[in-house]
Amino acid sequence: MTWLITGGAGYIGAHVARVMAAAGEDVVVLDDISSGVPRRLPGDVPLIKGSSLDAELLRRVFAEHDVTGIVHLAARKQVGESVEQPLRYYRENLGGLTTLLEAAAEAGVRRFVFSSSAAVYGNPPDVDLVSEDTPCVPVSPYGETKLAGEWLVRAAGRAHGMATVCLRYFNVAGSASPELADTGVYNVIPMVFDRLTRDEAPRIFGDTHPTPDGTCVRDYIHVSDLAEAHLAAARRLASADGGDLTVNIGRGEGVSVRELVTLIGEVSGDRRPAVVEPMRAGDAPRAVADASLAARELGWAARRGVREMVDSAWAGWCLHHPGAPRV
């Protein structure tokens, strides 16, 4: 099989491309390079620069590379930005997915892995673990596009004989190597790194949540574990004749924001206390995955801990930010 990985030069996508190629899968990457970095990819992985909104380009790629399966990661993914630019998010996330699925059906592609998100759950109810049966009530346009994307993938799969898997990522962190690190400042770990690099104290939004230390509890997944989940999904689909599967991708273990900030202080050597600011509207006190279905259906489980995530993320941050403080 040849797998097309959309968004494959991005932070997550490059990890997926490398893991799949190293496992012997034939892969080709499509990326518009709006946030992707070509040098993240191995030299023997073809890179086509373009968008999943370009139907004619997709037809050429499918034909020239004999694509038989797709891993679709290309999307805009910032919650706050989606609130400000909902039309852009619906156009690019859902419009790109629709165009891709149409071209795939036309080309006879029968395997499809969709990059979804725990954002589909919104603010989950007060449960210890969030399962795939937890009601999906997204609270941002980004989460809405991911949930609607899942609906579309399943519907297209049923209509056109595609076997599909939707992977609901929880909080992705870490890096397989420093050069592959996430360079954006959108998630909690790089946000703390950025504060320390600017000689400012980390921030915690609210310390009166109904959790053991009053701060939000989240499930963090190493990006290398996430990439291996994509490989497991692709290999499941390689022998599937149809059907759909939706699974959470997380560790099933919660880490509070205060615990995470303390760990970052140990790794970075900057142990200054965090500044507590008012809690943000819409922050769920706890969101931790029940990842047991992924273990049963994909034979996959996370292997890397939070310390490894922070260590590897800090190494990547220091590579890309020479002014970062050193231990």
Side-chain angles (χ1 to χ4, degrees), residues 244-264:
D244 62 80
L245 176 67
T246 299
V247 295
N248 290 333
I249 302 298
R251 294 173 58 247
E253 298 179 16
V255 177
S256 77
V257 174
R258 190 176 293 282
E259 290 172 329
L260 186 65
V261 169
T262 298
L263 179 56
I264 291 172

Side-chain angles (χ1 to χ4, degrees), residues 3-4 14 26 43 47 75 120 135 140 143 170 234 293 305-306:
W3 290 92
L4 173 67
D26 290 329
L47 169 62
V120 300
S140 70
F170 276 64
L293 185 61
V306 177

Side-chain angles (χ1 to χ4, degrees), residues 46-102:
L47 169 62
I48 294 94
K49 296 181 181 179
S51 168
S52 55
L53 286 159
D54 188 339
E56 184 54 41
L57 174 62
L58 292 173
R59 294 188 188 99
R60 292 200 305 272
V61 171
F62 290 154
E64 292 172 6
H65 294 274
D66 194 22
V67 172
T68 51
I70 297 170
V71 178
H72 183 49
L73 295 104
R76 302 202 67 81
K77 62 176 184 177
Q78 302 308 323
V79 170
E81 183 183 64
S82 78
V83 174
E84 298 168 356
Q85 303 178 42
L87 297 175
R88 182 181 188 185
Y89 269 66
Y90 272 82
R91 180 179 66 252
E92 295 192 21
N93 290 5
L94 283 181
L97 175 59
T98 300
T99 303
L100 181 62
L101 286 167
E102 287 174 341

Side-chain angles (χ1 to χ4, degrees), residues 176-206:
S177 59
E179 65 272 14
L180 296 181
D182 188 4
T183 56
V185 186
Y186 305 111
N187 301 314
V188 61
I189 291 176
M191 287 172 69
V192 174
F193 292 168
D194 182 58
R195 296 277 296 185
L196 298 181
T197 300
R198 291 188 283 114
D199 197 27
E200 297 175 357
R203 292 186 297 178
I204 291 176
F205 293 97

